[in-house]
Amino acid sequence: MHSPDEIDALLPQTQCTRCGYGGCRPYAQAILAGGAEINQCPPGGAATIAALAQLLGRAPLPLNPANGAEGPLLVAQIDEDACIGCAKCLPPCPVDAIIGAHKHMHTVVLELCTGCELCVAPCPVDCIAMVSRASLPQAPPAPSPRENREHFTAHGERLAALSSERAMLLAERKHAAPAAAPGR
């Protein structure tokens, strides 16, 4: 019997959600449970499908076109002159590859970008374009699946810590509010 870890290890860890799941790990779990086919990962393409087929003893399938098409490695590029600093691209980035602050220009850290495209749709001024990593002369190599997984895990931990901090602050404010109320 195979484990989700074995399947997850074969996925590219772009966390792009094009497979129909919230990331590579949920997709791996769905494959193992029989709820998803092995051909739903456009970033992994034919090589990933072949590896999954071999691991699971299944016949390779062509990439499901409903999930997208296999293509070159992409990275996000922000037109810094058009960026309005709305910060809507920051939360969807699964690996914190975009840096910026509200009302300030944003930029993409190419060393971290998985090419997931999740930052494109939220941009209200369409200043984010996906370009081939190979077309950028100074672009570093794409991060490895291991690095992508580490950055995704760190992103999740950062969000969990922020949520916990907000919950504690809210609890403190609620606890302090009744004490302040009688003096009104």
Side-chain angles (χ1 to χ4, degrees), residues 6-176:
E6 290 176 293
I7 297 169
D8 189 46
L10 297 177
L11 299 173
Q13 302 302 313
T14 60
Q15 314 301 339
C16 68
T17 72
R18 287 187 270 173
C19 60
Y21 294 88
C24 295
R25 178 85 182 173
Y27 177 45
Q29 292 168 327
I31 291 172
L32 189 62
E37 288 291 344
I38 60 173
N39 65 340
Q40 296 177 208
C41 179
T48 294
I49 294 168
L52 290 170
Q54 182 176 6
L55 173 73
L56 300 171
R58 298 184 190 174
L61 301 168
L63 180 63
N64 185 341
N67 298 103
E70 187 172 1
L73 295 175
L74 301 176
V75 292
Q77 290 288 276
I78 296 176
D79 179 349
E80 296 173 356
D81 292 330
C83 179
I84 60 172
C86 70
K88 291 182 179 184
C89 59
L90 298 177
C93 181
V95 293
D96 295 328
I98 301 175
I99 332 175
H102 189 65
K103 296 191 179 185
H104 293 283
M105 179 270 304
H106 295 73
T107 194
V108 176
V109 179
L110 294 178
E111 291 85 357
L112 300 176
C113 184
T114 67
C116 70
E117 302 180 29
L118 294 174
C119 58
V120 176
C123 180
V125 293
D126 295 326
C127 70
I128 302 174
M130 300 305 297
V131 299
S132 167
R133 184 177 283 274
S135 72
L136 301 173
Q138 301 300 329
S144 70
R146 180 191 55 76
E147 291 169 318
N148 287 343
R149 187 180 300 106
E150 289 171 1
H151 295 139
F152 179 67
T153 300
H155 171 79
E157 290 170 354
R158 182 182 65 77
L159 292 181
L162 282 173
S163 179
S164 178
E165 287 174 26
R166 286 184 187 128
M168 286 191 323
L169 181 60
L170 183 59
E172 288 173 10
R173 286 182 181 168
K174 285 182 180 179
H175 185 265

